[in-house]
């Protein structure tokens, strides 16, 4: 079945450091890929998405590119801020499916 | 104006009690979900309704019963609460019919069973 694997956390960075959170997936067909972010005490919210191979999703300085050849959707940001401290979830949704498959989440701590 | 709302935000109760959590979305979406998030932040799908029809029913104890009175509401009733039911429960919605798969989440209900 479909699955998502993301790097274990926590990831601890200093402010202005470069961020990469790895995500790989297994799926039949052509899924849509997502990154969601969960700030402390809140629900998940969509950060960015990509619906087909080679698409790049971007939002708030975060980027991720849909790589079908490596089945990956790594999240990157060039310069993190303390306010980026949160849990990040990679997810996929297959065409016609009702279920979104979430990764286990990666907690990010950014120190001032 | 809140897109997906849940009540209550916090729920503290004793083992054996019955409780309900309510969810409402004002986005006009056709599909709603219940998720359980454990203390390690792992998110598990429990149920999903599409146009008031149950379409996802994961391996969940039958003490949990969802009910969707209309497309904008999805409630979760839990009977005979157990310690292991303590978690944060999230409601979410999406518009599957138009192929927009991103989900909108509520703020969560933190359930503590003592």
């Amino acid at each position: 079945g479909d699955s998502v694997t993301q790097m274990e956390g926590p990831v601890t960075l200093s402010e202005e450091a470069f961020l990469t959170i790895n995500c790989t997936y297994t799926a039949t067909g052509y899924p849509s890929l997502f990154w969601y972010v969960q700030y402390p005490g809140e629900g998940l919210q969509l950060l960015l998405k990509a619906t087909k191979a080679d698409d790049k999703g971007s939002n708030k300085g975060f980027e991720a590119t849909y790589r079908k050849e490596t089945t990956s959707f790594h999240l990157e940001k060039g310069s993190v801020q303390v306010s980026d401290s949160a849990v990040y979830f990679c997810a996929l949704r297959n065409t016609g499916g009702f279920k979104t498959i979430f990764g286990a989440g990666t907690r990010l701590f950014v120190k001032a | 104006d809140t897109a997906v709302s849940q009540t209550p935000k916090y729920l503290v109760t004793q083992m054996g009690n019955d409780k309900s959590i309510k969810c409402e979305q004002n986005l006009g979406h056709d599909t709603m979900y219940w998720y359980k998030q454990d203390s390690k932040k792992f998110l598990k799908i429990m149920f999903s309704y599409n146009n008031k029809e149950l379409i996802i029913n994961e391996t969940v104890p039958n003490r949990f019963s969802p009910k969707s009175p209309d497309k904008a509401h999805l409630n979760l009733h839990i009977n005979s609460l157990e310690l292991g039911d303590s978690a944060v429960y999230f409601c979410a919605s999406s518009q599957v019919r138009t192929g927009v798969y991103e989900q909108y989440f509520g703020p969560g209900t933190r359930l503590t069973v003592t």
Side-chain angles (χ1 to χ4, degrees):
Chain A
D2 297 347
S3 66
V4 174
T5 303
Q6 58 182 109
M7 61 189 286
E8 277 191 44
V11 173
T12 303
L13 296 173
S14 297
E15 210 166 20
E16 299 184 4
F18 185 85
L19 168 71
T20 300
I21 300 178
N22 291 335
C23 171
T24 57
Y25 68 91
T26 302
T28 55
Y30 304 94
S32 295
L33 301 175
F34 307 88
W35 276 101
Y36 286 84
V37 59
Q38 183 180 24
Y39 297 105
E42 299 183 9
L44 282 72
Q45 54 185 274
L46 180 68
L47 180 60
L48 54 84
K49 68 176 183 180
T51 57
K52 61 183 187 297
D54 300 325
D55 266 4
K56 177 185 281 188
S58 61
N59 186 24
K60 299 181 181 179
F62 291 89
E63 292 183 340
T65 302
Y66 189 163
R67 302 283 189 202
K68 192 163 178 63
E69 64 276 13
T70 54
T71 62
S72 64
F73 193 55
H74 304 321
L75 182 68
E76 296 182 336
K77 186 176 186 184
S79 175
V80 293
Q81 305 300 312
V82 172
S83 57
D84 293 327
S85 297
V87 181
Y88 292 82
F89 293 88
C90 185
L92 74 82
R93 177 72 166 260
N94 236 323
T95 305
F98 287 100
K99 190 186 294 188
T100 295
I101 309 297
F102 286 88
T106 302
R107 187 183 294 270
L108 170 67
F109 292 105
V110 181
K111 304 180 295 183
Chain B
D1 198 20
T2 305
V4 182
S5 59
Q6 296 178 226
T7 54
K9 187 164 176 64
Y10 300 96
L11 188 51
V12 181
T13 188
Q14 292 185 328
M15 285 174 54
N17 285 348
D18 303 339
K19 291 293 179 185
S20 291
I21 306 172
K22 296 187 175 183
C23 177
E24 176 181 1
Q25 56 97 1
N26 63 6
L27 298 167
H29 287 170
D30 58 13
T31 306
M32 297 183 72
Y33 311 81
W34 277 113
Y35 289 89
K36 178 181 180 181
Q37 187 176 51
D38 63 22
S39 58
K40 295 186 178 180
K41 300 298 184 183
F42 184 74
L43 205 61
K44 176 185 175 182
I45 181 74
M46 300 174 70
F47 303 103
S48 178
Y49 274 76
N50 175 255
N51 289 319
K52 299 197 299 174
E53 179 184 349
L54 182 65
I55 54 169
I56 295 176
N57 187 357
E58 294 292 290
T59 307
V60 175
N62 57 16
R63 298 181 294 102
F64 290 79
S65 53
K67 183 169 286 188
S68 182
D70 55 58
K71 288 197 303 182
H73 296 85
L74 180 60
N75 303 323
L76 182 65
H77 188 76
I78 316 170
N79 289 326
S80 303
L81 278 154
E82 299 179 357
L83 292 176
D85 298 333
S86 295
V88 181
Y89 292 84
F90 287 101
C91 176
S93 72
S94 65
Q95 181 64 359
V96 172
R97 183 179 58 82
T98 55
V100 177
Y101 296 134
E102 55 257 41
Q103 297 188 11
Y104 292 76
F105 283 77
T109 296
R110 181 175 293 278
L111 172 64
T112 303
V113 182
T114 63

